[in-house]
Amino acid sequence: MVLLLRKTYIGGMNMLLKSLVVPKKNLTVVKESCTLEEAITILEESGYRCVPVLDETETFFRGNIYKMHIYRHKANGGDMSLPVTHLIKNSTKFISVDSSFFKVFFTIKELPYIAVLDKQQRFYGILTHSSLLGMLQESWNVKNGSYVLTIISGGEKGALANISKVINKYASIANVMTIDTEKDKSLRRLLITLPAGVSKDTLQQIVDGLEKKDYSVAEVEDLQNN
């Protein structure tokens, strides 16, 4: 049963990430046989700062080509008739359509997008940084929530259950997120989004109830007035 639930969860997450991918047919790409001169023309016409580089059949991912790298090469007197592979970047930066959310999150990092490959290692499309952040924003219920409480605990066992129990006396919980830092491992910061419709009186009851249990409410953000 545990394995079944795990497979169901992973499958659901993969479908969610897959729905965010921009498919190959909707992308501007450069073939690996293109020259740098041809590549910069494609980049200028598309308006993108970088695009994927694919093989001649547009099946396999070779890397990314960035506008800034080509212009830097040209400014330094570089040969613009060289193949685009001369300045290719991020050739190992890709994920699979079956990759876990955590792998996606930490792989994309500072990239504008991450290449996505199918199960046969063929280029499937790209997942952009902005679409991933958009998904996180939606999951945080910023648009539909009422307040976000930043609650600080000592990280003791059962803290999340106790905090949830206090809040559930007065309202449901729309979203939960923890934020911890390496510099301060003694404290846990818990961000809890309350659903729309929670009144200020109810909010105050929740804050009072948490503080009676020695959980500090460091900040309350009013989502509707921001």
Side-chain angles (χ1 to χ4, degrees), residues 115-127:
V116 181
L117 310 184
D118 65 15
K119 293 180 180 180
Q120 286 72 44
Q121 299 298 299
R122 297 173 302 194
F123 182 72
Y124 182 83
I126 63 170
L127 175 66

Side-chain angles (χ1 to χ4, degrees), residues 29-39 42 56 81-85:
V29 301
V30 170
K31 292 184 180 181
E32 61 183 341
S33 62
C34 283
T35 65
L36 292 173
E37 192 68 59
E38 291 170 331
I42 293 172
E56 284 306 293
S81 66
L82 288 171
V84 71
T85 50

Side-chain angles (χ1 to χ4, degrees), residues 13-24:
M13 178 57 73
N14 288 338
M15 288 299 294
L16 176 59
L17 289 173
K18 193 173 180 179
S19 69
L20 299 175
V21 174
V22 181
K24 179 174 66 175

Side-chain angles (χ1 to χ4, degrees), residues 13-14 17 99-106 132 135-136:
M13 178 57 73
N14 288 338
L17 289 173
S99 293
S100 68
F101 173 78
F102 288 101
K103 182 175 181 180
V104 173
F105 189 81
F106 290 108
L132 184 62
M135 183 195 73
L136 290 174

